[in-house]
Amino acid sequence: MISYRLVDEESGKVLLAAEDIRDFFVAQDLETPERFTFVRVHRMEITRRKTEGTELQVVDRRGEPIGAYRLGRVEAAFGEAPNVSGDEHPDVEFFGYTCEYPKAGEIWKKWAVGVERGDWARQPPEWHGSWLHVAQTAWFTSGKRATRYETWDTVFLDGTQITTRDAFFCALGEAVNGAGGYFGSSHGGLIDCLRTAQREHAHPFRLVWRDFPSSRHALGDEFTDAVVSAFQEYGVEVTAVESGASE
């Protein structure tokens, strides 16, 4: 199954299609090109050693893009172009910019078959930053904007799942916009979503924040107060509920 495509940004032409990618999602910054590998390449139409203006697409089982990364230039790490035909599906190496979210590759595999509510919380805490990255990337790749799409009157945020700021935004995106949803990945991003929703007269909602004290402990007073103030500023009523208390 094809999972990744290298595409010419200007023409949309598929330059390469592969089943997987290795060493692209790594725990490092994006300042210098690194070596990464397309695994089991099924199609390759790259004729130059250096290719400009490329985009890496993550695709689902139907071949539809669910995520995109602008790579710009990629440079072949091989001397002679490998044979890609029939049953020949070699691994092909390139130099290019990589992604600093190391668990994103595994999460994209889950995204390709569909995510359900609570999937993010079933991952280890060290995955949450990568999950949030994938959720945000998939959200905008699908053509959606930083706003609210659902119409529930009351949104429930489970504070028992919130152990970090990344976890907070994973939980918030799902609570507001459903499984795999996005509603900010930072305080500024949250304000953008709230502002756009208010401007577009999106359905107003009440936020019930369950087990609020444990969230405050995990997130810190300053951050918690800032996000509560942002909600209130844009007309969202926040009901903070202690563990076991009535809503």
Side-chain angles (χ1 to χ4, degrees):
M1 181 183 71
I2 299 301
S3 298
Y4 293 92
R5 296 192 302 224
L6 188 65
V7 177
D8 179 78
E9 282 188 304
E10 184 174 347
S11 67
K13 179 182 177 181
V14 176
L15 304 175
L16 182 149
E19 294 182 16
D20 205 348
I21 196 167
R22 185 168 60 241
D23 298 329
F24 177 75
F25 299 106
V26 290
Q28 61 185 28
D29 60 32
L30 304 175
E31 294 181 357
T32 58
E34 301 290 337
R35 185 191 295 257
F36 59 87
T37 304
F38 285 100
V39 177
R40 289 187 57 79
V41 172
H42 286 244
R43 175 179 178 180
M44 183 167 162
E45 299 187 22
I46 296 176
T47 57
R48 299 186 302 273
R49 187 163 186 82
K50 295 180 181 180
T51 304
E52 306 285 347
T54 61
E55 177 182 81
L56 177 67
Q57 293 181 350
V58 189
V59 298
D60 62 16
R61 288 183 170 181
R62 299 171 299 169
E64 296 295 325
I66 55 174
Y69 297 89
R70 188 182 185 281
L71 299 187
R73 173 189 288 185
V74 294
E75 182 177 351
F78 50 82
E80 182 177 348
N83 179 40
V84 179
S85 62
D87 293 331
E88 296 291 328
H89 303 304
D91 296 351
V92 182
E93 295 184 334
F94 289 87
F95 290 101
Y97 289 103
T98 52
C99 175
E100 62 184 335
Y101 294 94
K103 302 302 181 181
E106 293 302 310
I107 295 168
W108 279 121
K109 292 177 183 178
K110 299 177 184 294
W111 226 267
V113 298
V115 293
E116 299 178 353
R117 277 186 169 272
D119 277 352
W120 73 268
R122 287 185 277 273
Q123 311 309 314
E126 61 268 23
W127 286 48
H128 292 163
S130 294
W131 187 282
L132 180 61
H133 159 75
V134 169
Q136 181 178 10
T137 303
W139 188 257
F140 291 116
T141 299
S142 71
K144 293 179 180 177
R145 295 170 297 108
T147 187
R148 183 173 187 239
Y149 286 84
E150 298 294 347
T151 58
W152 307 304
D153 291 327
T154 303
V155 168
F156 295 95
L157 187 62
D158 185 358
T160 62
Q161 300 176 328
I162 297 172
T163 55
T164 64
R165 294 184 185 184
D166 286 337
F168 167 76
F169 286 109
C170 287
L172 180 64
E174 180 175 272
V176 174
N177 275 319
Y182 168 83
F183 204 70
S185 59
S186 64
H187 180 258
L190 170 61
I191 290 175
D192 286 343
C193 291
L194 289 166
R195 182 184 295 122
T196 303
Q198 184 185 69
R199 185 173 62 245
E200 297 180 348
H201 307 290
H203 196 81
F205 64 96
R206 167 180 171 241
L207 178 69
V208 175
W209 193 332
R210 293 168 170 161
D211 203 6
F212 181 79
S214 69
S215 296
R216 177 180 285 280
H217 177 73
L219 299 173
D221 291 340
E222 183 177 355
F223 178 82
T224 304
D225 291 342
V227 296
V228 169
S229 295
F231 282 124
Q232 293 172 339
E233 180 181 352
Y234 289 94
V236 177
E237 176 189 350
V238 179
T239 302
V241 180
E242 296 188 14
S243 178
S246 172
E247 299 166 1

